[in-house]
């Protein structure tokens, strides 16, 4: 039934994206009223999760739902549904994995209140799927794992669950994508764990060749000062935090403070889709260089 609903949605929205890229199409679909603000907590995965799963299946990745329970207030629980897609290493000896995260859930809504969640976080999910497409025909000596997390808005529950299930899986780093609409300043912000400081020059030199500028920080407090947002703890603000708690290196990419955050004005018309494509291109190039590292290169 979910596939039928999504297929009908494609037909209804086809005139809007007939000449657009897959990235643009994803943004149109994810922010549509038919996706209801991508709420979380139901026993079954939301139709937005099925849509994301289908995009990864088209790339012939190994895709699955990973469901979990989480607290909703003092007396209630909800069910979250991560979408986990793996581009597997096909070599005899494989290096530690790179894990991408981008939360697909948002605030939901009702008949008269629609929260599109365009920047938060349709942009991150759309870019993550676009990166997977750009890497489709390339092989790396490590797994690339793409995780569309659920229930981030309710307490990073999807990322917490995923990290809890890692066991002895070897992980090079987490790349977390959350709110990537860079707009006029053309600047992307990144917070990285301190153990990635040896890679600072490599990361910055890559972005020096890209149309997207990068401001890279290794301190949440310094990033908050530079963004004039002392009230935000950027370390704990998104899905990279559970990886940090598990002592897994991370890079969090975002666009900084958004005046439309958690409002009904966080809509598709506020997104610069051309620059979002440039963000995807820039991060993909960095991923290609990081994916070629050996374990000794980051120690």
């Amino acid at each position: 039934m979910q596939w039928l609903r999504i297929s009908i949605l494609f037909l209804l929205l086809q005139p809007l994206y007939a000449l657009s890229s897959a990235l643009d199409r994803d943004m149109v679909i994810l922010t549509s009223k038919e996706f209801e603000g991508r709420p979380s907590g139901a026993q079954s995965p939301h139709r937005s999760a099925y849509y994301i799963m289908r995009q990864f299946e088209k790339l012939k990745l190994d895709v699955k739902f990973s469901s979990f329970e989480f607290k909703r207030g003092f007396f209630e629980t909800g069910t979250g549904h991560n979408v986990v897609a793996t581009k597997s290493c096909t070599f005899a000896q494989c290096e530690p994995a790179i894990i991408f995260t981008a939360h697909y859930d948002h605030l939901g809504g009702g008949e008269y209140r629609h929260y599109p969640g365009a920047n938060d976080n349709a942009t991150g999910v759309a870019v993550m799927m676009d990166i997977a497409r750009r890497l489709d025909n390339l092989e790396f000596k490590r797994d690339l794992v793409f995780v569309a997390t659920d229930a981030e808005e309710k307490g990073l529950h999807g990322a917490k669950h995923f990290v809890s299930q890692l066991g002895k899986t070897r992980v090079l780093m987490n790349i977390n994508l959350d709110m990537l609409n860079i707009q006029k300043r053309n600047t992307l912000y990144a917070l990285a764990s301190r153990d990635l400081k040896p890679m600072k020059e490599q990361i910055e030199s890559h972005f020096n060749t890209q149309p997207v500028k990068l401001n890279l920080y290794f301190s949440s407090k310094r990033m908050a000062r530079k963004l004039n947002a002392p009230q935000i703890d950027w370390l704990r603000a998104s899905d990279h935090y559970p990886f940090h708690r598990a002592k897994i290196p991370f890079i969090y990419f975002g666009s900084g403070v958004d005046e439309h955050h958690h409002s009904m004005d966080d809509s598709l018309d506020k997104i610069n889709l051309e620059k979002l494509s440039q963000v995807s291109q820039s991060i993909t190039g960095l991923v290609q260089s990081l994916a070629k590292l050996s374990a000794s290169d980051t120690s």
Side-chain angles (χ1 to χ4, degrees):
M1 182 63 70
Q2 287 288 357
W3 293 121
L4 177 60
R5 289 177 178 175
I6 293 172
S7 297
I8 293 172
L9 179 60
F10 285 164
L11 293 175
L12 291 174
L13 296 178
Q14 182 69 29
L16 295 177
Y17 62 82
L19 300 177
S20 300
S21 68
L23 176 65
D24 294 353
R25 178 202 64 199
D26 291 339
M27 288 297 299
V28 171
I29 296 290
L30 290 170
T31 59
S32 66
K33 286 187 178 181
E34 287 76 8
F35 273 13
E36 308 165 315
R38 307 186 303 279
S40 63
Q43 286 295 313
S44 299
H46 188 260
R47 66 186 65 174
S48 54
Y50 280 97
Y51 173 77
I52 294 165
M53 171 176 270
R54 180 56 182 152
Q55 304 319 301
F56 286 128
E57 286 178 339
K58 289 178 181 178
L59 300 174
K60 300 188 179 344
L61 302 185
D62 179 15
V63 192
K64 65 180 181 179
F65 284 126
S66 177
S67 299
F68 56 92
E69 299 295 316
F70 65 93
K71 290 184 178 181
R72 306 176 66 174
F74 290 105
F75 305 107
E76 295 184 12
T77 60
T79 304
H81 309 276
N82 292 341
V83 182
V84 183
T86 303
K87 181 180 176 67
S88 298
C89 169
T90 57
F91 293 83
Q93 293 186 330
C94 299
E95 296 287 340
I98 293 178
I99 298 172
F100 301 84
T101 48
H103 75 92
Y104 71 90
D105 66 298
H106 193 54
L107 303 182
E111 184 177 357
Y112 302 106
R113 295 177 68 83
H114 173 55
Y115 292 88
N119 194 24
D120 184 19
N121 183 36
T123 55
V125 176
V127 166
M128 182 171 68
M129 293 191 296
D130 194 57
I131 290 172
R133 292 186 190 106
R134 291 173 184 265
L135 298 177
D136 184 29
N137 294 319
L138 302 177
E139 294 292 335
F140 301 102
K141 290 187 176 181
R142 67 178 79 247
D143 286 354
L144 302 182
V145 185
F146 302 90
V147 188
T149 59
D150 196 6
E152 188 269 0
E153 298 286 3
K154 301 182 185 300
L156 313 183
H157 294 295
K160 289 176 181 177
H161 172 73
F162 180 83
V163 170
S164 75
Q165 300 298 302
L166 280 174
K168 296 183 179 180
T169 302
R170 297 188 305 150
V171 180
L172 178 72
M173 69 177 67
N174 164 236
I175 297 178
N176 185 35
L177 309 169
D178 195 351
M179 300 174 61
L180 299 174
N181 186 34
I182 59 176
Q183 288 292 353
K184 294 180 181 178
R185 288 172 294 181
N186 215 45
T187 300
L188 191 64
Y189 296 90
L191 176 67
S193 49
R194 288 186 173 89
D195 42 7
L196 293 183
K197 271 191 173 182
M199 299 171 59
K200 181 176 185 292
E201 183 177 349
Q202 177 185 356
I203 296 169
E204 291 182 332
S205 62
H206 167 75
F207 275 89
N208 286 340
T209 66
Q210 302 298 312
V212 176
K213 300 176 184 176
L214 180 72
N215 285 354
L216 176 62
Y217 302 95
F218 296 92
S219 163
S220 175
K221 291 183 179 179
R222 185 160 184 244
M223 183 171 170
R225 286 197 302 270
K226 291 293 185 180
L227 288 171
N228 194 28
Q231 75 281 7
I232 300 177
D233 185 345
W234 295 99
L235 177 61
R236 292 172 171 81
S238 187
D239 280 336
H240 50 280
Y241 185 57
F243 289 88
H244 168 74
R245 290 289 303 271
K247 302 187 185 311
I248 296 172
F250 70 86
I251 307 175
Y252 154 59
F253 290 102
S255 57
V257 179
D258 185 343
E259 61 179 323
H260 304 298
H261 183 237
H262 283 187
S263 77
M264 290 187 290
D265 291 328
D266 182 11
S267 51
L268 185 63
D269 61 295
K270 309 295 192 311
I271 306 299
N272 188 318
L273 293 173
E274 180 180 356
K275 290 187 178 180
L276 189 63
S277 180
Q278 292 176 354
V279 168
S280 179
Q281 174 187 327
S282 299
I283 296 177
T284 300
L286 178 64
V287 169
Q288 287 181 261
S289 64
L290 296 177
K292 294 175 182 177
L293 294 175
S294 67
S296 60
D297 292 328
T298 57
S299 61

